[in-house]
Amino acid sequence: MRSRLQPAAPCHLTAPQALPAVLSQSKSQRSAWSLGTKLAGWAVAAAFMPSLAQAQVSRFEVLATEAPALQARSFGDRGTATKTLARATLALDPADPRNAVIADLALAPRDAAGRVTAVADVVILQPQRPNGTLLVEVPNRGRKLIGPGFDNAPPTYGRLGEAADAGTGFLLAQGYTLAWIGWQGDLPASGGKGAAALGINLPTLPGVTGPSRDEWVFTPKQTEAEQTVKLAYPAASREGAQLTVRARLQDPRSQPAGLAFRFVDDQTIAITRPAGQPADAIYEFTYTARDAKPMGMGLAALRDVAHFLRHDTSAANPLAAGGKPTMQTLLGTGISQSGRVLRDFVYLGLNESADHRPVYDGLLLQIPGARRSYTNARFAQPARNPGPNSDDLYPVDQFPMAYATSTDAQTGRTDGLLQRCTATSTCPRIMQVDSEYEMWASHGSHSVTDPQAQHLPLPANVRAYLVAGTPHFAAFDAVAKAEAGCLLPTSPIYAGPLMRALLTRMDAWVRSGTEPPASQYPNVADGTLVPADHTIFPGQYHGLRALLGYQGYATPSWRTDSASGLPTVLGQYPVLVPRTDADGLALGAVRLPAVAVPRATYVGWNAKTTAPIDPQNPSGICTQQGATLPLAATRAERLARKDPRPSIAERYPTPDHYIAAVRAATWRLQQQGLLLPADAEAAVREAQAGTLARLP
């Protein structure tokens, strides 16, 4: 049966125009979806009903539907899926106390009713027989990552056109209704890699100018002496603009001979790079900008559109039936940037609906580390991604960094991510899942320590899990491989099986109060969280440190002030990292089967090779990569290379010993609620096939 695109009935629109929101489809459907300019004429306009106004969604327009979607793929008892393309108009009252936290909202243009309006893109994917849980994914730079992150889907970033785009089909087969709500107001026209970007169309603040800063790190392939780059905002004035360069994060900014820039237009400059700088040098540009937007409105869209989809009873809501809502539970999830956005969402107290109920029952955050986002500020840049080699001084991880309340001795402030929602009784249940990379590059330890690096217990409604040996984000079919500029092959450990188990347990936690798995995250109290020096390894394992190229490098955590436009460092917070066992594997963390029964050492960092390995002058770690150091096959081989780790033959005398160890590890993970039976069986099959370790 062929999927058919069904535009909604024509209707004149009065709402502001949204960002282009066209769903990418399979090749046979692409021409139908390309009618982007006509979609506005296909909308079903919602009447301005009290239920809509109360939720601050003044209009919800269904632009097109596709039923069945995903090439009519069936998901067992749940049937086929329907895909809906829509857009929602927000109308926020600046006088509403819940909106007071949104930066510059009061300066934005207003409609006749005194509201500030914006239009968010929305996509919904629902099985024929849903389970009553609405799962909202916060798009990452306009992209849908839940398929690659949870469902073994290929990295099409949410194309949702072909049957394979649903991966294993776990999410739909379990009956989850999936929704994506555009929130980022500075997206390009396309999310790339086959998927349209989902964003929000925000108003421009009239007459507002101020300092802004852009930063770039060019790739080794960008060899031209002059590089043309786009500024985050147009320049209000070209006077006083300044460009600097530094080779590494630790170096002072400089303006060497040969460094120059010129304006191509108000939002584009051409940079002339000086000789003698490394390929990954950091270029910073400061200038006076204009056309600021109230970017924090995007966070309100995550609140109000989700609340509408769950609770609104009007015909405008595609998830309502017979004048009743059909979703009993609302969960939210975000991966990387969007996980950081959800930490902002909670911290700003935005999980409170207009009728003072919690909006999301539970939030499942993947790989945010202890960072938030640069969203709710004037001249914000939500896409900034501080890491080990760039963007390190953008204000995304200033105090507070932990869910529990603590006091910062440097400033005297007392705060915590849950302080506002606790005061209004609107805190969701939270699970945070970090890769081991986040401990080295995203200050993960700050989530479980106070600013003085002392142990800080997690609140009762929060669970935290660290996945040992993982890079920032690995594909389901990743294998260890060489990466330019990195000392060792990358880590291929994929966290999808854990995410499936935790989503199942989160749903049970909010539906029935069933306690979720206990946190598994290194901490100071049990000695599994320590300074990033040689003490992370057992004392006698100097040889392993050398084989891994360990330099004791973790991205510094700065306390900064950006009031002048150019960040000023005012202080530094101590960063801790996991202690390891004799194999170099992180302690206190979840060990998926390939790590629990190792044929290699997997770590969440990978030393850079752009400078000589020198512990006294570290060159840093590769961005978003982990590392793999295979075990020697035999005792003779490991002795020859001075490897202190027992060889494969010494650990597992026969293949049956190895498979038995994998079975035991998967059983333990199942008992802890960290692995589903189907994924346990899959791990054993991979062990039998010799592919579990994901070695090249």
Side-chain angles (χ1 to χ4, degrees):
M1 181 177 180
R2 179 176 297 177
S3 300
R4 291 189 301 164
L5 174 67
Q6 299 174 336
C11 180
H12 176 68
L13 297 182
T14 59
Q17 293 299 303
L19 291 173
V22 180
L23 294 176
S24 295
Q25 300 296 314
S26 62
K27 187 177 293 184
S28 63
Q29 299 164 335
R30 227 166 260 155
S31 60
W33 281 114
S34 67
L35 304 175
T37 57
K38 297 181 181 179
L39 286 174
W42 295 348
V44 174
F48 287 83
M49 301 178 66
S51 59
L52 290 175
Q54 183 184 25
Q56 297 193 345
V57 173
S58 62
R59 187 182 185 88
F60 193 88
E61 309 162 70
V62 174
L63 303 176
T65 61
E66 184 186 359
L70 298 166
Q71 297 179 316
R73 178 177 172 180
S74 180
F75 299 91
D77 294 341
R78 302 295 178 176
T80 60
T82 295
K83 180 168 52 181
T84 302
L85 171 68
R87 61 188 180 190
T89 300
L90 306 180
L92 301 188
D93 181 1
D96 185 333
R98 298 178 311 123
N99 298 328
V101 72
I102 299 173
D104 289 334
L105 183 66
L107 302 181
R110 306 188 190 190
D111 64 12
R115 308 295 180 98
V116 180
T117 62
V119 181
D121 300 322
V122 181
V123 176
I124 301 169
L125 189 64
Q126 184 174 45
Q128 285 177 296
R129 287 171 284 282
N131 67 6
T133 293
L134 173 60
L135 177 58
V136 173
E137 183 194 6
V138 178
N140 176 302
R141 294 170 177 79
R143 306 169 301 173
K144 311 176 194 75
L145 292 186
I146 196 171
F150 284 70
D151 225 346
N152 294 30
T156 57
Y157 299 109
R159 182 177 59 193
L160 300 183
E162 300 177 5
D165 293 343
T168 63
F170 169 81
L171 294 168
L172 291 171
Q174 295 300 308
Y176 291 106
T177 297
L178 308 178
W180 295 266
I181 300 168
W183 65 273
Q184 189 172 337
D186 62 348
L187 286 173
S190 173
K193 302 222 177 181
L198 301 178
I200 187 168
N201 190 16
L202 299 171
T204 298
L205 305 178
V208 173
T209 64
S212 185
R213 178 176 74 98
D214 281 280
E215 182 177 307
W216 305 274
V217 174
F218 302 111
T219 69
K221 294 181 180 179
Q222 294 173 293
T223 57
E224 296 83 2
E226 185 177 80
Q227 296 289 336
T228 300
V229 293
K230 194 173 184 64
L231 304 178
Y233 293 91
S237 169
R238 301 185 182 186
E239 297 295 322
Q242 191 173 63
L243 178 69
T244 64
V245 65
R246 51 188 168 135
R248 301 180 308 164
L249 294 179
Q250 304 95 322
D251 296 336
R253 299 176 178 89
S254 65
Q255 293 178 308
L259 177 68
F261 73 92
R262 60 183 177 84
F263 275 95
V264 176
D265 57 44
D266 281 351
Q267 203 167 355
T268 310
I269 65 170
I271 294 174
T272 299
R273 296 191 286 178
Q277 292 293 327
D280 56 355
I282 301 165
Y283 294 83
E284 284 181 291
F285 187 69
T286 54
Y287 62 105
T288 301
R290 58 178 170 84
D291 293 355
K293 299 176 184 295
M295 290 289 186
M297 286 188 74
L299 304 179
L302 299 175
R303 176 192 67 190
D304 295 337
V305 178
H307 186 272
F308 166 83
L309 291 173
R310 180 183 180 182
H311 291 290
D312 189 79
T313 60
S314 74
N317 182 5
L319 299 185
K324 296 180 180 179
T326 60
M327 297 291 106
Q328 291 83 48
T329 305
L330 176 59
L331 304 180
T333 190
I335 300 175
S336 190
Q337 178 213 30
S338 44
R340 295 188 283 114
V341 164
L342 285 175
R343 284 171 58 93
D344 256 339
F345 180 87
V346 170
Y347 174 58
L348 295 172
L350 290 171
N351 199 46
E352 181 184 4
S353 67
D355 52 0
H356 309 296
R357 291 185 287 177
V359 176
Y360 292 90
D361 301 300
L363 296 177
L364 181 51
L365 285 57
Q366 189 174 357
I367 54 178
R371 300 187 189 276
R372 301 202 303 274
S373 70
Y374 187 25
T375 299
N376 191 45
R378 184 171 297 179
F379 295 111
Q381 297 182 43
R384 288 295 174 182
N385 181 33
N389 303 313
S390 62
D391 285 0
D392 65 314
L393 295 181
Y394 283 93
V396 303
D397 57 356
Q398 299 299 288
F399 179 81
M401 287 86 81
Y403 293 102
T405 297
S406 63
T407 299
D408 180 4
Q410 296 187 42
T411 64
R413 285 184 59 204
T414 298
D415 206 349
L417 296 185
L418 300 186
Q419 191 154 293
R420 286 185 175 90
C421 68
T422 298
T424 58
S425 300
T426 57
C427 291
R429 291 178 167 92
I430 296 171
M431 290 180 176
Q432 177 164 321
V433 184
D434 279 328
S435 74
E436 190 183 333
Y437 172 84
E438 311 315 318
M439 305 301 291
W440 303 88
S442 300
H443 313 153
S445 65
H446 290 338
S447 290
V448 292
T449 62
D450 68 16
Q452 293 73 243
Q454 299 302 304
H455 178 66
L456 193 61
L458 290 167
N461 64 315
V462 179
R463 299 291 185 275
Y465 310 94
L466 185 75
V467 193
T470 44
H472 183 61
F473 191 78
F476 75 96
D477 57 354
V479 296
K481 63 179 182 180
E483 181 75 17
C486 299
L487 182 67
L488 294 172
T490 57
S491 169
I493 302 301
Y494 172 61
L498 175 64
M499 299 311 299
R500 291 189 282 271
L502 290 179
L503 174 60
T504 303
R505 297 301 297 268
M506 170 64 86
D507 202 19
W509 194 13
V510 301
R511 281 178 177 267
S512 62
T514 303
E515 281 295 308
S519 294
Q520 290 197 32
Y521 208 95
N523 64 80
V524 172
D526 65 10
T528 54
L529 204 55
V530 296
D533 56 26
H534 68 277
T535 63
I536 76 164
F537 295 99
Q540 69 273 31
Y541 281 80
H542 300 288
L544 180 56
R545 296 202 303 272
L547 290 170
L548 287 168
Y550 184 69
Q551 306 168 61
Y553 182 86
T555 303
S557 176
W558 309 113
R559 182 169 68 86
T560 64
D561 177 16
S562 300
S564 66
L566 192 64
T568 302
V569 174
L570 302 178
Q572 185 172 357
Y573 299 108
V575 175
L576 305 180
V577 298
R579 189 189 295 276
T580 79
D581 65 8
D583 288 324
L585 301 171
L587 295 169
V590 177
R591 294 188 178 184
L592 293 172
V595 181
V597 189
R599 297 174 71 90
T601 291
Y602 303 97
V603 295
W605 49 271
N606 201 326
K608 287 176 64 177
T609 58
T610 52
I613 301 300
D614 178 1
Q616 301 305 315
N617 187 26
S619 59
I621 57 177
C622 290
T623 298
Q624 299 189 350
Q625 300 296 342
T628 298
L629 183 64
L631 297 173
T634 65
R635 182 174 187 274
E637 180 184 329
R638 77 169 177 88
L639 291 176
R641 70 185 194 190
K642 298 180 180 179
D643 190 336
R645 302 167 299 163
S647 67
I648 291 175
E650 291 172 293
R651 294 167 188 260
Y652 322 113
T654 69
D656 286 345
H657 285 87
Y658 173 64
I659 293 166
V662 171
R663 286 188 189 278
T666 61
W667 182 85
R668 287 192 297 271
L669 288 166
Q670 286 185 79
Q671 295 304 300
Q672 295 170 323
L674 300 173
L675 199 64
L676 298 175
D679 286 316
E681 293 168 6
V684 172
R685 289 196 300 271
E686 288 185 56
Q688 292 169 333
T691 58
L692 180 63
R694 300 172 183 249
L695 299 176

